Amino acid sequence: MTLRRRGEKATISIQEHMAIDVCPGPIRPIKQISDYFPRFPRGLPPDAGPRAAAPPDAPARPAVAGAGRRSPSDGAREDDEDVDQLFGAYGSSPGPSPGPSPARPPAKPPEDEPDADGYESDDCTALGTLDFSLLYDQENNALHCTITKAKGLKPMDHNGLADPYVKLHLLPGASKANKLRTKTLRNTLNPTWNETLTYYGITDEDMIRKTLRISVCDEDKFRHNEFIGETRVPLKKLKPNHTKTFSICLEKQLPVDKTEDKSLEERGRILISLKYSSQKQGLLVGIVRCAHLAAMDANGYSDPYVKTYLRPDVDKKSKHKTAVKKKTLNPEFNEQEFCYEIKHGDLAKKSLEVTVWDYDIGKSNDFIGGVVLGIHAKGERLKHWFDCLKNKDKRIERWHTLTSELPGAVLSD
């Protein structure tokens, strides 16, 4: 140990200069590292300020005759006692700071230290934000999703930009059947779409149990499209016939629940119009469109068409068939209405059978789903039939859910 003579300037070793403050929180400037690691008391003059008070039962220290005539063993013993007293003073009430160094300011609370959630928030902000609005048209059973714009998207391409587009899914049951997407905008991180995507056949039950998943992706011509961020909106947050606007920070991709209730699985939906014409003395059946049909082909789509029967069909002349719509799960038919000549009073004894099929070349067509309207039906199917009988010459449209089983039907084409 090197002893400092009286009058010499206090020095700090290179080890102290290179030491790092390992206290938690932001790293702050260190005015004198000895305040943290008081190893050597050599930086303190012999006549420094008052030291920490010794315990009452401690023996008194003998006075030193002179600093210049003390032996090396006495100096080493005094140095050891100085170290002990320094450590004691470090944990006791503060006194005047030793030496010419100014007093160390009290540590500030780590208010700038981010918590664990802060990092997630920073990541979300780095992905960008999305502005959009949602409107549930209860009368027409439609959900209108207007994608307005995105801001500050994460760069995905080598040029520091992206080719973004937005796609929508309804959960549970995300598939090509309920996938909608916007156009792709090239080389921008702040795209403006102002594009409205519409889900048809949305019921009040869907608004309670379903969630809209909105994903922003980067289109790549030579590789798979890349995911940028997403957000999810439970449809129960929306009020019927009221537009709600959102400006939401995109999040990382969230897992999709694979253990969905199979009882909620659907084969699709169909919009049917019924009208009894007094002029034509018959029932007019219109097949308007289908939505969210099950995919039956390897490409993830179907080639759907619809058949109708009025049962019982003794003469087997009640079959009508729409045209085939290629490679779609949301076909629009808008066919000319099929007319069944029948007396109004006889309709109460009849049932209307509607089936949806996937057209295949060289093999039998695949059954997608069906629905029966009539006196033996239940719920909305029975109500639709009765409303038609009670309101002559009035066209009544209703959405119906297709089922995989159709009692009494011959499931072949």
Side-chain angles (χ1 to χ4, degrees):
M1 178 181 295
T2 304
L3 298 179
R4 182 179 57 82
R5 297 179 180 178
R6 183 187 300 274
E8 286 185 354
K9 186 177 180 180
T11 61
I12 299 178
S13 66
I14 188 63
Q15 290 87 353
E16 291 176 319
H17 277 295
M18 300 299 295
I20 298 176
D21 182 8
V22 295
C23 294
I27 298 178
R28 300 180 177 87
I30 302 173
K31 294 191 175 181
Q32 186 167 340
I33 199 66
S34 298
D35 293 340
Y36 292 88
F37 305 102
R39 296 178 300 163
F40 305 105
R42 63 190 180 187
L44 300 176
D47 55 347
R51 297 177 178 178
D57 53 349
R61 291 182 56 194
V64 181
R69 295 190 300 272
R70 59 183 178 179
S71 65
S73 60
D74 293 339
R77 184 167 56 252
E78 284 191 6
D79 289 340
D80 293 339
E81 292 175 357
D82 288 340
V83 171
D84 294 338
Q85 291 192 9
L86 272 172
F87 275 109
Y90 183 73
S92 61
S93 58
S97 60
S101 307
R104 179 172 170 264
K108 297 181 181 179
E111 55 184 303
D112 297 333
E113 182 180 0
D115 53 14
D117 295 336
Y119 290 105
E120 181 67 19
S121 176
D122 291 342
D123 291 342
C124 290
T125 304
L127 298 178
T129 59
L130 181 66
D131 295 350
F132 61 95
S133 63
L134 302 177
L135 169 63
Y136 173 47
D137 184 353
Q138 190 175 35
E139 181 179 357
N140 297 312
N141 296 103
L143 176 64
H144 303 287
C145 312
T146 300
I147 308 300
T148 308
K149 62 181 179 179
K151 294 182 292 185
L153 294 180
K154 178 182 177 181
M156 305 299 291
D157 298 336
H158 295 299
N159 59 2
L161 300 173
D163 302 322
Y165 67 92
V166 177
K167 64 179 180 179
L168 311 179
H169 286 101
L170 284 176
L171 305 177
S175 65
K176 287 186 178 180
N178 59 41
K179 173 186 172 182
L180 300 175
R181 62 162 287 175
T182 67
K183 59 186 177 183
T184 301
L185 300 181
R186 302 291 177 183
N187 297 324
T188 178
L189 299 180
N190 300 283
T192 299
W193 288 282
N194 287 325
E195 190 171 343
T196 298
L197 308 175
T198 301
Y199 281 106
Y200 295 99
I202 301 297
T203 63
D204 291 342
E205 181 184 358
D206 292 329
M207 298 301 295
I208 295 175
R209 68 180 182 90
K210 285 188 176 289
T211 297
L212 179 65
R213 177 187 181 187
I214 306 177
S215 306
V216 181
C217 301
D218 171 60
E219 185 177 290
D220 199 315
K221 293 183 178 180
F222 306 104
R223 297 179 298 174
H224 291 294
N225 296 342
E226 296 179 288
F227 176 86
I228 297 179
E230 73 168 40
T231 186
R232 299 185 184 184
V233 180
L235 297 185
K236 60 185 178 181
K237 289 185 176 181
L238 306 180
K239 296 180 181 179
N241 307 313
H242 177 74
T243 301
K244 186 168 184 178
T245 302
F246 299 83
S247 181
I248 296 181
C249 176
L250 296 174
E251 302 179 62
K252 296 178 180 178
Q253 192 164 16
L254 302 175
V256 178
D257 187 9
K258 300 296 183 181
T259 60
E260 295 172 355
D261 188 357
K262 295 301 180 181
S263 65
L264 299 177
E265 185 177 356
E266 298 175 355
R267 308 292 291 179
R269 298 182 184 183
I270 186 169
L271 179 59
I272 303 173
S273 68
L274 298 179
K275 174 184 175 182
Y276 186 82
S277 174
S278 301
Q279 181 181 0
K280 295 183 179 182
Q281 290 294 306
L283 176 67
L284 303 181
V285 178
I287 305 300
V288 183
R289 68 190 307 153
C290 294
H292 317 155
L293 293 180
M296 307 302 292
D297 297 337
N299 60 7
Y301 294 97
S302 294
D303 301 320
Y305 67 94
V306 180
K307 295 191 300 179
T308 64
Y309 293 90
L310 193 62
R311 307 285 191 181
D313 184 17
V314 179
D315 299 329
K316 296 184 179 181
K317 295 182 180 180
S318 68
K319 175 182 175 180
H320 288 283
K321 180 178 176 181
T322 70
V324 177
K325 301 296 181 180
K326 293 291 187 178
K327 196 179 178 182
T328 178
L329 300 177
N330 298 279
E332 294 185 37
F333 296 99
N334 292 318
E335 297 281 342
Q336 181 180 1
E337 294 173 320
F338 305 136
C339 181
Y340 293 100
E341 294 182 1
I342 186 174
K343 295 179 180 179
H344 183 267
D346 294 338
L347 279 178
K349 304 173 185 178
K350 297 286 187 176
S351 295
L352 179 67
E353 178 184 298
V354 182
T355 54
V356 183
W357 298 80
D358 169 53
Y359 177 76
D360 288 320
I361 300 177
K363 59 179 181 178
S364 60
N365 298 329
D366 299 317
F367 173 73
I368 297 178
V371 63
V372 175
L373 310 179
I375 192 66
H376 300 296
K378 296 180 180 179
E380 285 296 320
R381 295 168 293 169
L382 178 61
K383 187 176 184 299
H384 193 184
W385 190 254
F386 274 150
D387 287 345
C388 173
L389 298 182
K390 290 187 298 182
N391 299 277
K392 287 184 181 181
D393 301 313
K394 182 179 180 181
R395 189 171 185 263
I396 301 175
E397 286 187 358
R398 295 282 169 79
W399 280 95
H400 298 284
T401 300
L402 300 175
T403 60
S404 57
E405 296 181 1
L406 191 56
V410 179
L411 301 183
S412 63
D413 191 19

